[in-house]
Amino acid sequence: MPDRAIGRISLAEARALWEDEDVFSLGKKAHAARMALHPEAVVTYIVDRNINYTNVCACGCRFCAFFRPPGHAEGYVLSREQLAAKVAETVALGGYQILLQGGMHPDLRLDFYTGMLAFLRDRFPEVAVHGFSPPEIVFLARMEGLSIAEVLAELKASGLASLPGGGAEILSDPIRGSVSPNKCPADEWIAVMAEAHKQGLRSTATMVIGLGETIEHRLEHLSRIRDLQDATGGFTAFIPWTFQPGNTALAVPEASSWEYLRTLALARLFLDNVPNIQASWVTQGPMIGQTALYFGANDFGSTMIEENVVAAAGVRFRMEEDELCRLAVKAGFEPVRRNMDYSRREGS
Ligand code: SF4
């Protein structure tokens, strides 16, 4: 991929694009940028499974339909046997990565996490663990009285391969404070990613739209990602998706597909230093997911053999690998399996 194949736009230019361009002209510009960065007509994807080791969470975000508070009858922590069964099933379906995330469980100490990682590494050395978003790392560090660097070093030594960009929502504290007042502030989210990148752990970055934010909040979010990427180069991809209000305590309408596509396109144009942008077919469905491939996205994310968080909000789009590939082909792209770092998966 050519380095910086697209030029940098300022915040003022991004604002002007948002205000002046309609969805189609913004999409056309974003697609041109995508093709400049990835001239080959390829759409990448990964075969993996989201595994939530616990749904118990003391954070209580207003937009979350997945968690159960500590002591709730529906709270669970996966046993080693349950975890192993899920990973074995993933491998049997051709998977080679798991996305491992939970909640902020007040009784699970650092040795639970290091033990879980070491167990997975021993039992499934061929499966990469992409796990623990920044709020989980901050929670663990506080609970153990350790620094973020110390927690990340312990997790990495036990087998953690990379970090998902979850828990970013909108990296603007007024919005974070209104929807998830107990979650780490934007500075700490950035600090975890900076430290992870420093320790050689690559990560993704996400953004959730439709939480009551304005375009200024979204631009603040994009600026923080771009600034950190200038410093570390550790982000492999950016993944915007829409808040799913079903079963949550946040009574706002879902952002439209039009809003999603415009934001996706703006992100592609603004994040000149982030190589890959993912289409969110999990929240948007296969058709808008396919359309996103012409609005700046060059990646279909994951086949998501299992997904619980968005499903808890009542949104259950599922796609088998062959269906995902069929959509890419129908849109004019060759589907290619990739690893977390976006290298081509051997034998695909
Ligand atoms: S979004 Fe994450 S941190 Fe917030 S309540 Fe849900 S599980 Fe907990």
Side-chain angles (χ1 to χ4, degrees):
M1 186 190 81
D3 193 27
R4 301 288 175 87
I6 59 175
R8 175 151 294 193
I9 60 171
S10 67
L11 272 172
E13 288 168 324
R15 207 170 282 125
L17 280 171
W18 184 261
E19 282 164 9
D20 298 342
E21 305 280 338
D22 66 26
V23 64
F24 299 112
S25 57
L26 207 50
K28 195 171 171 191
K29 285 183 184 359
H31 187 59
R34 175 258 195 258
M35 293 310 292
L37 286 161
H38 304 277
E40 66 287 14
V42 159
V43 169
T44 48
Y45 67 97
I46 194 164
V47 183
D48 79 354
R49 174 178 201 153
N50 289 11
I51 298 180
N52 300 104
Y53 56 88
T54 182
N55 65 345
V56 174
C57 186
C59 198
C61 300
R62 293 176 62 216
F63 57 82
C64 182
F66 168 71
F67 84 99
R68 295 292 179 269
H72 194 284
E74 293 170 6
Y76 72 79
V77 178
L78 291 184
S79 67
R80 292 274 162 85
E81 293 68 33
Q82 289 170 316
L83 188 60
K86 283 176 183 286
V87 181
E89 192 186 13
T90 306
V91 172
L93 289 167
Y96 43 91
Q97 175 177 279
I98 56 167
L99 169 53
L100 191 61
Q101 290 190 117
M104 300 181 195
H105 195 310
D107 300 330
L108 301 181
R109 308 299 298 249
L110 183 57
D111 60 356
F112 168 85
Y113 296 88
T114 53
M116 179 165 62
L117 287 166
F119 168 77
L120 288 170
R121 184 177 54 192
D122 291 348
R123 283 284 286 273
F124 304 97
E126 74 281 22
V127 175
V129 179
H130 181 55
F132 314 122
S133 58
E136 289 168 279
I137 303 293
V138 170
F139 181 75
L140 252 181
R142 286 212 184 105
M143 188 161 58
E144 297 290 349
L146 296 172
S147 68
I148 285 167
E150 288 168 325
V151 169
L152 284 170
E154 292 268 352
L155 296 175
K156 186 182 176 196
S158 302
L160 182 64
S162 57
L163 258 71
E169 279 79 66
I170 291 286
L171 292 171
S172 179
D173 286 334
I175 299 299
R176 296 177 79 71
S178 69
V179 297
S180 50
N182 302 316
K183 204 173 246 183
C184 65
D187 280 354
E188 271 187 316
W189 191 96
I190 291 287
V192 171
M193 287 307 190
E195 180 58 35
H197 296 170
K198 189 174 156 197
Q199 294 191 22
L201 292 161
R202 307 292 303 277
S203 76
T204 54
T206 62
M207 176 167 74
V208 182
I209 66 168
L211 293 171
E213 78 287 352
T214 65
I215 185 61
E216 290 306 321
H217 295 122
R218 288 182 204 167
L219 287 173
E220 182 182 345
H221 182 113
L222 292 172
S223 287
R224 299 214 66 171
I225 299 296
R226 190 167 78 174
D227 289 349
L228 181 59
Q229 184 74 338
D230 276 345
T232 68
F235 289 124
T236 56
F238 182 72
I239 313 156
W241 52 284
T242 52
F243 166 58
Q244 304 300 311
N247 303 325
T248 76
L250 205 57
V252 294
E254 185 185 343
S256 65
S257 297
W258 173 90
E259 186 81 4
Y260 166 74
L261 290 171
R262 270 168 56 83
T263 305
L264 180 79
L266 190 69
R268 177 60 291 165
L269 293 167
F270 191 80
L271 298 175
D272 60 312
N273 55 0
V274 177
N276 302 291
I277 305 275
Q278 279 188 25
S280 178
W281 61 263
V282 176
T283 58
Q284 295 299 310
M287 294 302 120
I288 295 294
Q290 193 182 38
T291 307
L293 301 178
Y294 283 90
F295 282 75
N298 62 293
D299 186 86
F300 249 152
S302 155
T303 53
M304 293 207 190
I305 294 164
E306 175 181 351
E307 196 289 326
N308 302 305
V309 175
V310 173
V315 178
R316 290 178 186 276
F317 291 118
R318 313 288 330 154
M319 259 206 286
E320 303 288 337
E321 184 178 4
D322 57 357
E323 168 70 355
L324 188 145
C325 291
R326 195 185 64 77
L327 284 178
V329 169
K330 287 260 180 190
F333 297 96
E334 178 198 355
V336 168
R337 279 187 177 195
R338 63 160 171 88
N339 296 303
M340 185 273 163
D341 65 1
Y342 281 77
S343 57
R344 238 179 220 246
R345 181 81 185 166
E346 305 240 331
S348 70

